[in-house]
C-alpha cells in the first residue's frame, strides 16, 4: 500500500509540474521545453526524435516514465518524470497499477531499455506509449532540460 501511495503521489506531482510548465511564458524557440503540444498522439511503440518526444509529452494527461535505475534517475532526469526501473523486480507490478489507456512518454539512457519497457507495456495492454530515440543523451544533445530534484 505504501508503494501505491508513493506512486500516486509522484503522479500527482507530475500533473502539478506539467500544469505549471504549460503556463510558463518563456519561449525562446531554442529549447525543447518550448515545443508546442503534438496535434496527434504518436502510435503505440513509436520511436520519436527529441523534438517530437517533447511535443508529444506535452499532450494532456501524458505521464513521462524514466525506466532507468534509481541511481541513474538521481543523476538527472526529464522534468516531471516518474522513475520505474524496467530492470527492477517490481516493474510489472508497478505498471499494473497504471492506467493502460493513458498516454506514456518513455525514455532511458540510450533507447534500448525504453524499447524493452514498451514491449512489456504493450503486452500488459497499454494502448498509448512511445519512446525517445537515443534516450536522455539525445534529449540533452537537442538542448532538453534535465533536473536532479
Amino acid at each position: 500500500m505504501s508503494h501505491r501511495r508513493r506512486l500516486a503521489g509522484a503522479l500527482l506531482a507530475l500533473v502539478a509540474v506539467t500544469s505549471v510548465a504549460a503556463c510558463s511564458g518563456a519561449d525562446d524557440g531554442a529549447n525543447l521545453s518550448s515545443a508546442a503540444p503534438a496535434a496527434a498522439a504518436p502510435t503505440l511503440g513509436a520511436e520519436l526524435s527529441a523534438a517530437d518526444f517533447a511535443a508529444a509529452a506535452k499532450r494532456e494527461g501524458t505521464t513521462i516514465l524514466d525506466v532507468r535505475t534509481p541511481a541513474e534517475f538521481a543523476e538527472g532526469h526529464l522534468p516531471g518524470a516518474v522513475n520505474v526501473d524496467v530492470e527492477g523486480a517490481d516493474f510489472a507490478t508497478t505498471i499494473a497499477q497504471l492506467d493502460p489507456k493513458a498516454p506514456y512518454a518513455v525514455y532511458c539512457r540510450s533507447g534500448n531499455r525504453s524499447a524493452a519497457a514498451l514491449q512489456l507495456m504493450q503486452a500488459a495492454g497499454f494502448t498509448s506509449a512511445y519512446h525517445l530515440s537515443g534516450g536522455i543523451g539525445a534529449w540533452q544533445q537537442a538542448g532538453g532540460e534535465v533536473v536532479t530534484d
Side-chain angles (χ1 to χ4, degrees), residues 25 34 41 61 105 110 114 117 127 133 140-141:
S34 65
S110 66
S114 58
T127 59
S133 177
Q140 289 175 298
Q141 201 167 38

Side-chain angles (χ1 to χ4, degrees), residues 43-46 91 95 100 115-129:
T43 58
L44 179 64
F91 182 76
I95 65 166
L118 283 180
Q119 289 179 345
L120 294 169
M121 292 171 76
Q122 189 170 2
F126 284 73
T127 59
S128 181

